[in-house]
Amino acid sequence: MSVRYCSHCLYPDSKPDLKFDARGVCSACVGYENRKAVDWDKRRAEFVAVTDRYRSKNGSNYDCIVPVSGGKDSTYQVIRLLQQGLNPVCVTAMTDSLSDVGRRNLENIAKLGVDHIAVTLNPTVRRRINRLALTEIGDVSWPEHVAIFTVPVRMAAQLGVQLIVWGENSQDEYGGPAAAQTKSTLDRRWLEEFGGLLGLRVSDLVGLEGIEQRNLIQYTYPTDAQLKASGVTGIFLGYYFPWDGYQNALIAQGFGFETIGPMVEGSLANYENLDNFQTGIHDYFKYLKFGFGRATDIANNHVRRGRLTREDAVALVRRHDGKFPWTYLGRPLAEILKEFDMTVDEFLVVCDRFTNKRLFRTDNRGKPMRDREGNLVPLFELA
């Protein structure tokens, strides 16, 4: 077996849903190339038309809901909507392991001039789910991925607000099926296929670790009948405005968004994934499964936009991607794991179980090999 890399960016063919064209260019790069043909003025006009249909005519309700985490993208979303004269209400499914800078950035969003509703899910149940999801599907952030989609939709139905404005379509930004790349709306089908659920259903949790159905209300997406009755729909802001995480960060910083000093561990940026201490574990497991991590994602976005050469991107990714997450946002791994009752030794066992042995070296017993710093040894050199 060998790994094939995109001839333009650094994505490997081990990335789910990634396709290569006859030039050897991946679908993420092709999707970005196709943006050159987009009439963005027309898209903005479409955005105005869509939002005008849902705008509260007498000011008795909000015009739309904006799901916000406090990150640079959700800050940018709020700025754009306010510039369009809309009256959004921001809704947050609170993270379970919130950092100080993450809290300050959430507070900053409210200071932009919006109402903000923060929904805090039962932390005892949340941490049981963190542990279950990590050990069963290799994703400690599974409850995050679920709640960021379900909580705003449930809130929209409760408040009678029919429009939700999401940020990027991840299938467009990072490569996926062509039909999913060009979607302007987020619906149940998109959530189930691309929302990061990894085949684990919310109903599967009932009966595990003492979890009952009544503990999962906020994790449960409304039924089709409920959605139809409420008229709730969701659109991607990135379909109507050119999406660029770095640009979003610059704009957000101009409106009070706070970054950190050094690069985030395992990344190539100091402006994203600042809110949740568990994100380092999530990104590391992506590396274990597919052979690339968050540094690759960010480098690729810069390569496509001409801000990095491929050669420089390779050097940076080799230096930063896939390092064992001994710390994240400065917090030691042992402290992060303690929140959901796991030791570092137990964590290493789970890591080994999810490590893709087609991508990393193993010993004669099939156990993944690590260097002195605890980093895996790749079978294939990034080229």
Side-chain angles (χ1 to χ4, degrees):
M1 174 190 171
S2 62
V3 175
R4 180 186 185 188
Y5 290 95
C6 174
S7 60
H8 183 57
C9 76
L10 309 183
Y11 273 147
D13 59 7
S14 53
K15 184 184 187 301
D17 299 320
L18 197 73
K19 305 295 182 185
F20 292 89
D21 67 10
R23 303 169 296 167
V25 177
C26 77
S27 48
C29 289
V30 171
Y32 183 75
E33 288 176 355
N34 292 339
R35 294 188 191 184
K36 297 175 183 177
V38 173
D39 185 338
W40 291 106
D41 290 335
K42 181 179 178 181
R43 289 276 181 93
R44 290 188 183 92
E46 290 175 13
F47 179 78
V48 171
V50 169
T51 54
D52 278 351
R53 288 205 302 270
Y54 291 94
R55 192 188 295 264
S56 176
K57 300 301 185 274
N58 58 9
S60 62
N61 203 353
Y62 302 104
D63 298 328
C64 59
I65 279 179
V66 186
V68 299
S69 66
K72 73 358 173 151
D73 290 331
S74 53
T75 301
Y76 165 79
Q77 288 166 242
V78 175
I79 293 166
R80 276 285 180 254
L81 294 181
L82 291 175
Q83 289 174 342
Q84 296 296 316
L86 292 162
N87 179 33
V89 56
C90 297
V91 174
T92 300
M94 290 297 288
T95 187
D96 185 43
S97 190
L98 184 64
S99 68
D100 290 340
V101 66
R103 187 178 302 280
R104 291 193 295 271
N105 281 329
L106 269 177
E107 293 170 351
N108 181 66
I109 284 181
K111 293 176 183 176
L112 295 175
V114 293
D115 289 345
H116 178 218
I117 299 172
V119 179
T120 301
L121 283 67
N122 183 329
T124 301
V125 173
R126 177 68 161 265
R127 290 175 180 182
R128 291 176 189 170
I129 300 175
N130 284 140
R131 185 183 174 98
L132 277 169
L134 181 60
T135 57
E136 295 300 318
I137 59 172
D139 187 5
V140 70
S141 299
W142 184 89
E144 292 278 314
H145 300 152
V146 175
I148 61 174
F149 290 118
T150 59
V151 167
V153 175
R154 295 180 64 88
M155 188 60 66
Q158 292 172 28
L159 295 176
V161 179
Q162 294 185 319
L163 180 65
I164 303 175
V165 182
W166 306 93
E168 65 183 335
N169 179 345
S170 59
Q171 295 304 301
D172 180 34
E173 190 72 5
Y174 300 108
Q181 287 185 332
T182 57
K183 281 183 71 70
S184 62
T185 60
L186 190 154
D187 52 22
R188 180 192 298 276
R189 181 177 178 183
W190 190 97
L191 170 63
E192 291 176 348
E193 191 166 356
F194 306 117
L197 304 190
L198 301 178
L200 180 64
R201 299 167 299 182
V202 173
S203 59
D204 294 334
L205 301 175
V206 177
L208 301 176
E209 299 293 331
I211 297 173
E212 303 177 35
Q213 182 63 52
R214 63 177 184 158
N215 303 135
L216 301 171
I217 294 171
Q218 293 294 341
Y219 297 98
T220 304
Y221 204 74
T223 65
D224 289 338
Q226 290 171 329
L227 286 175
K228 184 176 181 180
S230 65
V232 173
T233 190
I235 61 174
F236 292 111
L237 188 66
Y239 176 81
Y240 301 97
F241 296 86
W243 195 265
D244 180 353
Y246 182 62
Q247 167 200 272
N248 295 354
L250 291 176
I251 293 172
Q253 288 175 68
F255 286 83
F257 174 78
E258 184 179 338
T259 64
I260 63 172
M263 284 184 180
V264 175
E265 297 94 327
S267 177
L268 291 179
N270 67 348
Y271 51 76
E272 69 167 35
N273 290 340
L274 306 178
D275 59 320
N276 188 333
F277 288 111
Q278 298 169 356
T279 303
I281 295 174
H282 167 266
D283 290 347
Y284 183 63
F285 269 70
K286 178 167 75 171
Y287 180 76
L288 299 184
K289 295 174 182 178
F290 309 120
F292 73 95
R294 190 59 188 157
T296 296
D297 289 329
I298 297 172
N300 288 346
N301 288 340
H302 288 317
V303 168
R304 292 184 197 112
R305 291 164 174 83
R307 293 192 290 256
L308 268 183
T309 66
R310 194 179 189 281
E311 181 181 12
D312 285 337
V314 168
L316 288 169
V317 166
R318 285 177 178 170
R319 184 178 178 86
H320 292 279
D321 217 2
K323 304 303 181 185
F324 189 80
W326 290 112
T327 64
Y328 192 73
L329 301 177
R331 176 173 288 185
L333 176 63
E335 292 183 16
I336 299 170
L337 294 172
K338 188 177 180 180
E339 294 180 344
F340 49 91
D341 299 321
M342 182 175 285
T343 66
V344 173
D345 286 342
E346 290 172 329
F347 177 73
L348 281 166
V349 171
V350 180
C351 288
D352 286 353
R353 184 152 53 84
F354 283 95
T355 298
N356 189 335
K357 296 179 182 179
R358 295 176 298 172
L359 300 176
F360 298 100
R361 294 191 183 280
T362 59
D363 61 21
N364 55 14
R365 297 171 297 170
K367 182 179 175 60
M369 298 173 64
R370 296 179 178 274
D371 63 20
R372 292 180 180 179
E373 284 74 44
N375 301 317
L376 291 169
V377 181
L379 276 172
F380 308 100
E381 185 76 8
L382 174 61

